[in-house]
Structures are given as structure tokens and as C-alpha cells.
Amino acid sequence: MKYLAIDPGVKAVGLAWRTADWGGVRPILVNCYQIGSTELREVLLHAHRSGCTHAVIEQPIGYGSVRAAFKLCEARGRLVEACERTGLIVVGLHVSTWQAAMLGKDRKGRTKELSIMSAKSLGVDTDDDNEADAVNILVYAELNELGEEDA
């Protein structure tokens, strides 16, 4: 299995997958307001053509406000639909599951900072927490071989 990891956000969506032409993790950032855009469809198609079979999409919790909850749920729903239309098998991953494994237990109030540090330790030069989260989701999915039974 080859994974496309997706971290839906209110302002931006982090995506990461491993490409054949680059041995590392390739992070990409897509604006949330362009969820239905040609750009996102092209990114998903490229990931699928690169061999990605599964899209692991974070299931967020702890919304800051009702408005943020609606935006995140809408973004996640559109991403699920776009992935399924591309032919990717969608797997949900609870935010606390990957964070506990990748960021440790002492993370309260520091998840953005720790996620960026973790991504950098994996060789990805980013200061964007959405990209960093996607990288960590990707590595978690690979280490745990997430599949359809986890959906």
C-alpha cells in the first residue's frame, strides 16, 4: 500500500506522499478555499498516478468554535469525495491516535510545534503545521500499515 496523507484545516490542507523520483516525503499545501479546484484534483491525480492507493484523512476533534467545526467538517467531506472520485481508498485516522504515537504524551498545547519538529527530524524542511501534520500522518500510516479495515 502507498499512502496519501491529508490534514484538513480551516485555512489550508496539508498533503504528503512519497514519490518514486524523490526518496523523501513530498509535502504539498493546498488552500482550503480551493477544495473543489482543478489544483486539488491535479494533486490527487498525481498522487494516484504515483502509486498511492489509500488516502489517510485526519478526523479532527476539539473544534475552537462552531464555525470552525462546520468548516473542518465541510473540508473533510469534500476531500473524502474528491479522493473517492480519484479512485483512492479513504481511511480515517483520529487526530489523537497519530499524535500520541508521533508526538508523545506530553504534547498538550504544543502539538503544532512538536509536529513541525517531528517532520524536520524526518528530513522534511517545513515551518507549516498543516504540512508537518500530513508528514506525521503519512509516517504513522506506513508504520501501522493502515488499510480498509481501519476505515
Side-chain angles (χ1 to χ4, degrees), residues 31-67:
N31 190 322
C32 243
Y33 301 112
Q34 299 174 358
I35 293 282
S37 71
T38 303
E39 179 185 19
L40 177 62
R41 285 192 296 273
E42 288 174 5
V43 169
L44 294 175
L45 282 170
H46 181 69
H48 191 57
R49 287 185 196 125
S50 299
C52 291
T53 56
H54 291 70
V56 181
I57 304 178
E58 180 186 80
Q59 295 173 324
I61 59 163
Y63 308 108
S65 68
V66 172
R67 184 177 182 170

PDB file of all heavy atoms in Angstrom, residues 31-67:
ATOM      1  N   ASN A  31      -4.789  25.327  -0.588  1.00  0.00           N
ATOM      2  CA  ASN A  31      -5.687  26.225   0.125  1.00  0.00           C
ATOM      3  C   ASN A  31      -7.067  25.597   0.289  1.00  0.00           C
ATOM      4  O   ASN A  31      -7.617  25.047  -0.646  1.00  0.00           O
ATOM      5  CB  ASN A  31      -5.797  27.537  -0.668  1.00  0.00           C
ATOM      6  CG  ASN A  31      -6.498  28.614   0.106  1.00  0.00           C
ATOM      7  OD1 ASN A  31      -7.451  28.362   0.830  1.00  0.00           O
ATOM      8  ND2 ASN A  31      -6.027  29.825  -0.036  1.00  0.00           N
ATOM      9  N   CYS A  32      -7.624  25.691   1.479  1.00  0.00           N
ATOM     10  CA  CYS A  32      -8.946  25.117   1.761  1.00  0.00           C
ATOM     11  C   CYS A  32     -10.045  25.693   0.880  1.00  0.00           C
ATOM     12  O   CYS A  32     -10.990  25.009   0.560  1.00  0.00           O
ATOM     13  CB  CYS A  32      -9.318  25.360   3.214  1.00  0.00           C
ATOM     14  SG  CYS A  32      -9.504  23.880   4.182  1.00  0.00           S
ATOM     15  N   TYR A  33      -9.944  26.946   0.544  1.00  0.00           N
ATOM     16  CA  TYR A  33     -10.985  27.567  -0.249  1.00  0.00           C
ATOM     17  C   TYR A  33     -10.977  27.063  -1.686  1.00  0.00           C
ATOM     18  O   TYR A  33     -11.857  27.363  -2.455  1.00  0.00           O
ATOM     19  CB  TYR A  33     -10.847  29.096  -0.208  1.00  0.00           C
ATOM     20  CG  TYR A  33     -10.935  29.619   1.192  1.00  0.00           C
ATOM     21  CD1 TYR A  33      -9.828  30.177   1.820  1.00  0.00           C
ATOM     22  CD2 TYR A  33     -12.115  29.499   1.911  1.00  0.00           C
ATOM     23  CE1 TYR A  33      -9.904  30.630   3.125  1.00  0.00           C
ATOM     24  CE2 TYR A  33     -12.185  29.956   3.224  1.00  0.00           C
ATOM     25  CZ  TYR A  33     -11.090  30.515   3.821  1.00  0.00           C
ATOM     26  OH  TYR A  33     -11.171  30.955   5.116  1.00  0.00           O
ATOM     27  N   GLN A  34      -9.994  26.288  -2.040  1.00  0.00           N
ATOM     28  CA  GLN A  34      -9.885  25.727  -3.379  1.00  0.00           C
ATOM     29  C   GLN A  34     -10.077  24.213  -3.358  1.00  0.00           C
ATOM     30  O   GLN A  34      -9.554  23.505  -4.200  1.00  0.00           O
ATOM     31  CB  GLN A  34      -8.535  26.082  -3.994  1.00  0.00           C
ATOM     32  CG  GLN A  34      -8.331  27.568  -4.137  1.00  0.00           C
ATOM     33  CD  GLN A  34      -6.930  27.902  -4.617  1.00  0.00           C
ATOM     34  OE1 GLN A  34      -6.101  27.040  -4.801  1.00  0.00           O
ATOM     35  NE2 GLN A  34      -6.668  29.178  -4.798  1.00  0.00           N
ATOM     36  N   ILE A  35     -10.832  23.725  -2.391  1.00  0.00           N
ATOM     37  CA  ILE A  35     -11.037  22.286  -2.243  1.00  0.00           C
ATOM     38  C   ILE A  35     -11.585  21.671  -3.513  1.00  0.00           C
ATOM     39  O   ILE A  35     -11.182  20.611  -3.920  1.00  0.00           O
ATOM     40  CB  ILE A  35     -11.997  21.988  -1.064  1.00  0.00           C
ATOM     41  CG1 ILE A  35     -11.338  22.361   0.249  1.00  0.00           C
ATOM     42  CG2 ILE A  35     -12.438  20.549  -1.044  1.00  0.00           C
ATOM     43  CD1 ILE A  35     -10.336  21.394   0.765  1.00  0.00           C
ATOM     44  N   GLY A  36     -12.519  22.326  -4.180  1.00  0.00           N
ATOM     45  CA  GLY A  36     -13.095  21.789  -5.409  1.00  0.00           C
ATOM     46  C   GLY A  36     -12.338  22.229  -6.642  1.00  0.00           C
ATOM     47  O   GLY A  36     -12.813  22.059  -7.755  1.00  0.00           O
ATOM     48  N   SER A  37     -11.153  22.771  -6.455  1.00  0.00           N
ATOM     49  CA  SER A  37     -10.417  23.369  -7.561  1.00  0.00           C
ATOM     50  C   SER A  37      -9.728  22.342  -8.439  1.00  0.00           C
ATOM     51  O   SER A  37      -9.525  21.190  -8.066  1.00  0.00           O
ATOM     52  CB  SER A  37      -9.361  24.340  -7.025  1.00  0.00           C
ATOM     53  OG  SER A  37      -8.326  23.613  -6.399  1.00  0.00           O
ATOM     54  N   THR A  38      -9.335  22.796  -9.601  1.00  0.00           N
ATOM     55  CA  THR A  38      -8.557  21.976 -10.525  1.00  0.00           C
ATOM     56  C   THR A  38      -7.228  21.616  -9.885  1.00  0.00           C
ATOM     57  O   THR A  38      -6.731  20.510 -10.063  1.00  0.00           O
ATOM     58  CB  THR A  38      -8.325  22.751 -11.834  1.00  0.00           C
ATOM     59  OG1 THR A  38      -9.596  23.114 -12.357  1.00  0.00           O
ATOM     60  CG2 THR A  38      -7.576  21.932 -12.839  1.00  0.00           C
ATOM     61  N   GLU A  39      -6.646  22.561  -9.128  1.00  0.00           N
ATOM     62  CA  GLU A  39      -5.362  22.320  -8.474  1.00  0.00           C
ATOM     63  C   GLU A  39      -5.421  21.085  -7.569  1.00  0.00           C
ATOM     64  O   GLU A  39      -4.549  20.218  -7.637  1.00  0.00           O
ATOM     65  CB  GLU A  39      -4.962  23.550  -7.663  1.00  0.00           C
ATOM     66  CG  GLU A  39      -3.646  23.381  -6.928  1.00  0.00           C
ATOM     67  CD  GLU A  39      -3.320  24.563  -6.023  1.00  0.00           C
ATOM     68  OE1 GLU A  39      -4.235  25.346  -5.677  1.00  0.00           O
ATOM     69  OE2 GLU A  39      -2.160  24.683  -5.649  1.00  0.00           O
ATOM     70  N   LEU A  40      -6.456  20.981  -6.736  1.00  0.00           N
ATOM     71  CA  LEU A  40      -6.569  19.838  -5.839  1.00  0.00           C
ATOM     72  C   LEU A  40      -6.776  18.551  -6.632  1.00  0.00           C
ATOM     73  O   LEU A  40      -6.142  17.541  -6.349  1.00  0.00           O
ATOM     74  CB  LEU A  40      -7.717  20.024  -4.840  1.00  0.00           C
ATOM     75  CG  LEU A  40      -7.943  18.832  -3.906  1.00  0.00           C
ATOM     76  CD1 LEU A  40      -6.711  18.574  -3.031  1.00  0.00           C
ATOM     77  CD2 LEU A  40      -9.156  19.051  -3.044  1.00  0.00           C
ATOM     78  N   ARG A  41      -7.642  18.581  -7.628  1.00  0.00           N
ATOM     79  CA  ARG A  41      -7.861  17.378  -8.450  1.00  0.00           C
ATOM     80  C   ARG A  41      -6.566  16.920  -9.104  1.00  0.00           C
ATOM     81  O   ARG A  41      -6.276  15.735  -9.156  1.00  0.00           O
ATOM     82  CB  ARG A  41      -8.943  17.638  -9.501  1.00  0.00           C
ATOM     83  CG  ARG A  41     -10.349  17.658  -8.913  1.00  0.00           C
ATOM     84  CD  ARG A  41     -11.418  17.630  -9.999  1.00  0.00           C
ATOM     85  NE  ARG A  41     -11.396  18.807 -10.853  1.00  0.00           N
ATOM     86  CZ  ARG A  41     -12.038  19.935 -10.594  1.00  0.00           C
ATOM     87  NH1 ARG A  41     -12.764  20.045  -9.493  1.00  0.00           N
ATOM     88  NH2 ARG A  41     -11.976  20.959 -11.422  1.00  0.00           N
ATOM     89  N   GLU A  42      -5.763  17.879  -9.572  1.00  0.00           N
ATOM     90  CA  GLU A  42      -4.485  17.545 -10.195  1.00  0.00           C
ATOM     91  C   GLU A  42      -3.521  16.925  -9.181  1.00  0.00           C
ATOM     92  O   GLU A  42      -2.811  15.980  -9.495  1.00  0.00           O
ATOM     93  CB  GLU A  42      -3.869  18.784 -10.839  1.00  0.00           C
ATOM     94  CG  GLU A  42      -4.598  19.214 -12.103  1.00  0.00           C
ATOM     95  CD  GLU A  42      -4.082  20.537 -12.665  1.00  0.00           C
ATOM     96  OE1 GLU A  42      -3.093  21.079 -12.135  1.00  0.00           O
ATOM     97  OE2 GLU A  42      -4.689  21.013 -13.637  1.00  0.00           O
ATOM     98  N   VAL A  43      -3.501  17.462  -7.970  1.00  0.00           N
ATOM     99  CA  VAL A  43      -2.639  16.920  -6.911  1.00  0.00           C
ATOM    100  C   VAL A  43      -3.059  15.484  -6.582  1.00  0.00           C
ATOM    101  O   VAL A  43      -2.227  14.588  -6.480  1.00  0.00           O
ATOM    102  CB  VAL A  43      -2.672  17.811  -5.652  1.00  0.00           C
ATOM    103  CG1 VAL A  43      -2.013  17.130  -4.468  1.00  0.00           C
ATOM    104  CG2 VAL A  43      -2.016  19.151  -5.926  1.00  0.00           C
ATOM    105  N   LEU A  44      -4.367  15.257  -6.434  1.00  0.00           N
ATOM    106  CA  LEU A  44      -4.860  13.913  -6.125  1.00  0.00           C
ATOM    107  C   LEU A  44      -4.560  12.941  -7.256  1.00  0.00           C
ATOM    108  O   LEU A  44      -4.138  11.800  -7.021  1.00  0.00           O
ATOM    109  CB  LEU A  44      -6.357  13.951  -5.831  1.00  0.00           C
ATOM    110  CG  LEU A  44      -6.776  14.700  -4.566  1.00  0.00           C
ATOM    111  CD1 LEU A  44      -8.296  14.754  -4.457  1.00  0.00           C
ATOM    112  CD2 LEU A  44      -6.159  14.089  -3.323  1.00  0.00           C
ATOM    113  N   LEU A  45      -4.773  13.377  -8.487  1.00  0.00           N
ATOM    114  CA  LEU A  45      -4.473  12.518  -9.640  1.00  0.00           C
ATOM    115  C   LEU A  45      -2.984  12.199  -9.711  1.00  0.00           C
ATOM    116  O   LEU A  45      -2.601  11.061  -9.994  1.00  0.00           O
ATOM    117  CB  LEU A  45      -4.936  13.176 -10.939  1.00  0.00           C
ATOM    118  CG  LEU A  45      -6.420  13.104 -11.216  1.00  0.00           C
ATOM    119  CD1 LEU A  45      -6.790  13.993 -12.408  1.00  0.00           C
ATOM    120  CD2 LEU A  45      -6.858  11.659 -11.483  1.00  0.00           C
ATOM    121  N   HIS A  46      -2.149  13.194  -9.448  1.00  0.00           N
ATOM    122  CA  HIS A  46      -0.704  12.967  -9.451  1.00  0.00           C
ATOM    123  C   HIS A  46      -0.311  11.945  -8.378  1.00  0.00           C
ATOM    124  O   HIS A  46       0.492  11.045  -8.632  1.00  0.00           O
ATOM    125  CB  HIS A  46       0.050  14.277  -9.254  1.00  0.00           C
ATOM    126  CG  HIS A  46       1.530  14.117  -9.271  1.00  0.00           C
ATOM    127  ND1 HIS A  46       2.234  13.790 -10.404  1.00  0.00           N
ATOM    128  CD2 HIS A  46       2.444  14.201  -8.276  1.00  0.00           C
ATOM    129  CE1 HIS A  46       3.519  13.688 -10.116  1.00  0.00           C
ATOM    130  NE2 HIS A  46       3.671  13.939  -8.820  1.00  0.00           N
ATOM    131  N   ALA A  47      -0.879  12.088  -7.195  1.00  0.00           N
ATOM    132  CA  ALA A  47      -0.589  11.137  -6.117  1.00  0.00           C
ATOM    133  C   ALA A  47      -1.049   9.734  -6.511  1.00  0.00           C
ATOM    134  O   ALA A  47      -0.330   8.750  -6.299  1.00  0.00           O
ATOM    135  CB  ALA A  47      -1.269  11.579  -4.824  1.00  0.00           C
ATOM    136  N   HIS A  48      -2.231   9.635  -7.108  1.00  0.00           N
ATOM    137  CA  HIS A  48      -2.758   8.336  -7.535  1.00  0.00           C
ATOM    138  C   HIS A  48      -1.871   7.728  -8.625  1.00  0.00           C
ATOM    139  O   HIS A  48      -1.553   6.540  -8.581  1.00  0.00           O
ATOM    140  CB  HIS A  48      -4.199   8.496  -8.020  1.00  0.00           C
ATOM    141  CG  HIS A  48      -4.925   7.216  -8.235  1.00  0.00           C
ATOM    142  ND1 HIS A  48      -5.084   6.275  -7.245  1.00  0.00           N
ATOM    143  CD2 HIS A  48      -5.536   6.702  -9.335  1.00  0.00           C
ATOM    144  CE1 HIS A  48      -5.761   5.239  -7.717  1.00  0.00           C
ATOM    145  NE2 HIS A  48      -6.037   5.476  -8.985  1.00  0.00           N
ATOM    146  N   ARG A  49      -1.453   8.541  -9.581  1.00  0.00           N
ATOM    147  CA  ARG A  49      -0.560   8.062 -10.653  1.00  0.00           C
ATOM    148  C   ARG A  49       0.810   7.673 -10.105  1.00  0.00           C
ATOM    149  O   ARG A  49       1.512   6.865 -10.702  1.00  0.00           O
ATOM    150  CB  ARG A  49      -0.407   9.129 -11.731  1.00  0.00           C
ATOM    151  CG  ARG A  49      -1.637   9.293 -12.581  1.00  0.00           C
ATOM    152  CD  ARG A  49      -1.395  10.289 -13.716  1.00  0.00           C
ATOM    153  NE  ARG A  49      -2.662  10.699 -14.273  1.00  0.00           N
ATOM    154  CZ  ARG A  49      -3.073  11.943 -14.388  1.00  0.00           C
ATOM    155  NH1 ARG A  49      -2.298  12.938 -14.000  1.00  0.00           N
ATOM    156  NH2 ARG A  49      -4.250  12.214 -14.899  1.00  0.00           N
ATOM    157  N   SER A  50       1.199   8.289  -8.980  1.00  0.00           N
ATOM    158  CA  SER A  50       2.475   7.958  -8.339  1.00  0.00           C
ATOM    159  C   SER A  50       2.392   6.633  -7.585  1.00  0.00           C
ATOM    160  O   SER A  50       3.371   6.204  -6.996  1.00  0.00           O
ATOM    161  CB  SER A  50       2.883   9.049  -7.350  1.00  0.00           C
ATOM    162  OG  SER A  50       3.048  10.273  -7.984  1.00  0.00           O
ATOM    163  N   GLY A  51       1.200   6.031  -7.578  1.00  0.00           N
ATOM    164  CA  GLY A  51       1.041   4.734  -6.927  1.00  0.00           C
ATOM    165  C   GLY A  51       0.286   4.750  -5.621  1.00  0.00           C
ATOM    166  O   GLY A  51       0.124   3.709  -4.982  1.00  0.00           O
ATOM    167  N   CYS A  52      -0.172   5.915  -5.183  1.00  0.00           N
ATOM    168  CA  CYS A  52      -0.947   5.961  -3.934  1.00  0.00           C
ATOM    169  C   CYS A  52      -2.257   5.202  -4.121  1.00  0.00           C
ATOM    170  O   CYS A  52      -2.958   5.403  -5.116  1.00  0.00           O
ATOM    171  CB  CYS A  52      -1.244   7.407  -3.533  1.00  0.00           C
ATOM    172  SG  CYS A  52       0.210   8.329  -3.008  1.00  0.00           S
ATOM    173  N   THR A  53      -2.552   4.329  -3.179  1.00  0.00           N
ATOM    174  CA  THR A  53      -3.785   3.543  -3.224  1.00  0.00           C
ATOM    175  C   THR A  53      -4.766   3.969  -2.143  1.00  0.00           C
ATOM    176  O   THR A  53      -5.968   3.786  -2.306  1.00  0.00           O
ATOM    177  CB  THR A  53      -3.476   2.045  -3.032  1.00  0.00           C
ATOM    178  OG1 THR A  53      -2.755   1.876  -1.801  1.00  0.00           O
ATOM    179  CG2 THR A  53      -2.656   1.500  -4.183  1.00  0.00           C
ATOM    180  N   HIS A  54      -4.251   4.517  -1.051  1.00  0.00           N
ATOM    181  CA  HIS A  54      -5.070   4.880   0.099  1.00  0.00           C
ATOM    182  C   HIS A  54      -4.865   6.348   0.468  1.00  0.00           C
ATOM    183  O   HIS A  54      -3.738   6.837   0.448  1.00  0.00           O
ATOM    184  CB  HIS A  54      -4.710   4.036   1.316  1.00  0.00           C
ATOM    185  CG  HIS A  54      -5.087   2.605   1.180  1.00  0.00           C
ATOM    186  ND1 HIS A  54      -4.460   1.747   0.309  1.00  0.00           N
ATOM    187  CD2 HIS A  54      -6.019   1.874   1.822  1.00  0.00           C
ATOM    188  CE1 HIS A  54      -5.000   0.553   0.411  1.00  0.00           C
ATOM    189  NE2 HIS A  54      -5.950   0.597   1.319  1.00  0.00           N
ATOM    190  N   ALA A  55      -5.950   7.019   0.797  1.00  0.00           N
ATOM    191  CA  ALA A  55      -5.893   8.383   1.326  1.00  0.00           C
ATOM    192  C   ALA A  55      -6.228   8.299   2.808  1.00  0.00           C
ATOM    193  O   ALA A  55      -7.323   7.891   3.182  1.00  0.00           O
ATOM    194  CB  ALA A  55      -6.883   9.289   0.607  1.00  0.00           C
ATOM    195  N   VAL A  56      -5.281   8.649   3.644  1.00  0.00           N
ATOM    196  CA  VAL A  56      -5.488   8.653   5.095  1.00  0.00           C
ATOM    197  C   VAL A  56      -5.811  10.087   5.491  1.00  0.00           C
ATOM    198  O   VAL A  56      -4.977  10.978   5.364  1.00  0.00           O
ATOM    199  CB  VAL A  56      -4.243   8.147   5.842  1.00  0.00           C
ATOM    200  CG1 VAL A  56      -4.488   8.148   7.342  1.00  0.00           C
ATOM    201  CG2 VAL A  56      -3.859   6.755   5.360  1.00  0.00           C
ATOM    202  N   ILE A  57      -7.051  10.293   5.926  1.00  0.00           N
ATOM    203  CA  ILE A  57      -7.526  11.640   6.234  1.00  0.00           C
ATOM    204  C   ILE A  57      -7.783  11.766   7.730  1.00  0.00           C
ATOM    205  O   ILE A  57      -8.509  10.965   8.317  1.00  0.00           O
ATOM    206  CB  ILE A  57      -8.816  11.970   5.452  1.00  0.00           C
ATOM    207  CG1 ILE A  57      -8.578  11.791   3.949  1.00  0.00           C
ATOM    208  CG2 ILE A  57      -9.281  13.386   5.767  1.00  0.00           C
ATOM    209  CD1 ILE A  57      -9.805  12.040   3.094  1.00  0.00           C
ATOM    210  N   GLU A  58      -7.167  12.790   8.324  1.00  0.00           N
ATOM    211  CA  GLU A  58      -7.338  13.019   9.757  1.00  0.00           C
ATOM    212  C   GLU A  58      -8.793  13.320  10.095  1.00  0.00           C
ATOM    213  O   GLU A  58      -9.467  14.058   9.383  1.00  0.00           O
ATOM    214  CB  GLU A  58      -6.464  14.193  10.186  1.00  0.00           C
ATOM    215  CG  GLU A  58      -6.581  14.497  11.666  1.00  0.00           C
ATOM    216  CD  GLU A  58      -5.827  15.748  12.038  1.00  0.00           C
ATOM    217  OE1 GLU A  58      -6.367  16.843  11.799  1.00  0.00           O
ATOM    218  OE2 GLU A  58      -4.707  15.616  12.550  1.00  0.00           O
ATOM    219  N   GLN A  59      -9.257  12.728  11.189  1.00  0.00           N
ATOM    220  CA  GLN A  59     -10.576  13.012  11.741  1.00  0.00           C
ATOM    221  C   GLN A  59     -10.358  13.926  12.943  1.00  0.00           C
ATOM    222  O   GLN A  59      -9.947  13.469  14.000  1.00  0.00           O
ATOM    223  CB  GLN A  59     -11.274  11.718  12.170  1.00  0.00           C
ATOM    224  CG  GLN A  59     -11.576  10.803  11.013  1.00  0.00           C
ATOM    225  CD  GLN A  59     -12.110   9.471  11.469  1.00  0.00           C
ATOM    226  OE1 GLN A  59     -11.698   8.945  12.494  1.00  0.00           O
ATOM    227  NE2 GLN A  59     -13.012   8.910  10.693  1.00  0.00           N
ATOM    228  N   PRO A  60     -10.588  15.221  12.765  1.00  0.00           N
ATOM    229  CA  PRO A  60     -10.287  16.167  13.842  1.00  0.00           C
ATOM    230  C   PRO A  60     -11.302  16.146  14.975  1.00  0.00           C
ATOM    231  O   PRO A  60     -12.428  15.701  14.801  1.00  0.00           O
ATOM    232  CB  PRO A  60     -10.301  17.520  13.129  1.00  0.00           C
ATOM    233  CG  PRO A  60     -11.163  17.315  11.943  1.00  0.00           C
ATOM    234  CD  PRO A  60     -11.074  15.856  11.567  1.00  0.00           C
ATOM    235  N   ILE A  61     -10.858  16.645  16.132  1.00  0.00           N
ATOM    236  CA  ILE A  61     -11.728  16.827  17.299  1.00  0.00           C
ATOM    237  C   ILE A  61     -11.389  18.167  17.932  1.00  0.00           C
ATOM    238  O   ILE A  61     -10.429  18.812  17.548  1.00  0.00           O
ATOM    239  CB  ILE A  61     -11.543  15.712  18.352  1.00  0.00           C
ATOM    240  CG1 ILE A  61     -10.088  15.674  18.832  1.00  0.00           C
ATOM    241  CG2 ILE A  61     -11.984  14.379  17.823  1.00  0.00           C
ATOM    242  CD1 ILE A  61      -9.896  14.916  20.108  1.00  0.00           C
ATOM    243  N   GLY A  62     -12.152  18.560  18.916  1.00  0.00           N
ATOM    244  CA  GLY A  62     -11.842  19.745  19.701  1.00  0.00           C
ATOM    245  C   GLY A  62     -11.871  21.032  18.906  1.00  0.00           C
ATOM    246  O   GLY A  62     -10.927  21.805  18.940  1.00  0.00           O
ATOM    247  N   TYR A  63     -12.944  21.261  18.193  1.00  0.00           N
ATOM    248  CA  TYR A  63     -13.079  22.472  17.396  1.00  0.00           C
ATOM    249  C   TYR A  63     -13.057  23.696  18.291  1.00  0.00           C
ATOM    250  O   TYR A  63     -13.624  23.708  19.367  1.00  0.00           O
ATOM    251  CB  TYR A  63     -14.397  22.446  16.618  1.00  0.00           C
ATOM    252  CG  TYR A  63     -14.602  21.188  15.821  1.00  0.00           C
ATOM    253  CD1 TYR A  63     -15.545  20.243  16.214  1.00  0.00           C
ATOM    254  CD2 TYR A  63     -13.851  20.936  14.683  1.00  0.00           C
ATOM    255  CE1 TYR A  63     -15.733  19.087  15.485  1.00  0.00           C
ATOM    256  CE2 TYR A  63     -14.035  19.784  13.945  1.00  0.00           C
ATOM    257  CZ  TYR A  63     -14.976  18.862  14.344  1.00  0.00           C
ATOM    258  OH  TYR A  63     -15.158  17.715  13.631  1.00  0.00           O
ATOM    259  N   GLY A  64     -12.423  24.772  17.807  1.00  0.00           N
ATOM    260  CA  GLY A  64     -12.362  26.007  18.577  1.00  0.00           C
ATOM    261  C   GLY A  64     -13.685  26.738  18.635  1.00  0.00           C
ATOM    262  O   GLY A  64     -13.975  27.439  19.590  1.00  0.00           O
ATOM    263  N   SER A  65     -14.517  26.565  17.598  1.00  0.00           N
ATOM    264  CA  SER A  65     -15.808  27.245  17.554  1.00  0.00           C
ATOM    265  C   SER A  65     -16.745  26.448  16.661  1.00  0.00           C
ATOM    266  O   SER A  65     -16.329  25.551  15.936  1.00  0.00           O
ATOM    267  CB  SER A  65     -15.640  28.655  16.984  1.00  0.00           C
ATOM    268  OG  SER A  65     -15.281  28.589  15.614  1.00  0.00           O
ATOM    269  N   VAL A  66     -18.011  26.794  16.699  1.00  0.00           N
ATOM    270  CA  VAL A  66     -18.994  26.126  15.840  1.00  0.00           C
ATOM    271  C   VAL A  66     -18.655  26.379  14.373  1.00  0.00           C
ATOM    272  O   VAL A  66     -18.710  25.480  13.546  1.00  0.00           O
ATOM    273  CB  VAL A  66     -20.428  26.604  16.171  1.00  0.00           C
ATOM    274  CG1 VAL A  66     -21.424  26.064  15.173  1.00  0.00           C
ATOM    275  CG2 VAL A  66     -20.803  26.188  17.586  1.00  0.00           C
ATOM    276  N   ARG A  67     -18.277  27.602  14.069  1.00  0.00           N
ATOM    277  CA  ARG A  67     -17.910  27.943  12.694  1.00  0.00           C
ATOM    278  C   ARG A  67     -16.729  27.101  12.211  1.00  0.00           C
ATOM    279  O   ARG A  67     -16.724  26.589  11.101  1.00  0.00           O
ATOM    280  CB  ARG A  67     -17.587  29.425  12.600  1.00  0.00           C
ATOM    281  CG  ARG A  67     -17.295  29.874  11.199  1.00  0.00           C
ATOM    282  CD  ARG A  67     -17.054  31.359  11.149  1.00  0.00           C
ATOM    283  NE  ARG A  67     -16.824  31.723   9.767  1.00  0.00           N
ATOM    284  CZ  ARG A  67     -16.761  32.926   9.340  1.00  0.00           C
ATOM    285  NH1 ARG A  67     -16.936  33.924  10.161  1.00  0.00           N
ATOM    286  NH2 ARG A  67     -16.530  33.183   8.078  1.00  0.00           N
TER     287      ARG A  67
END
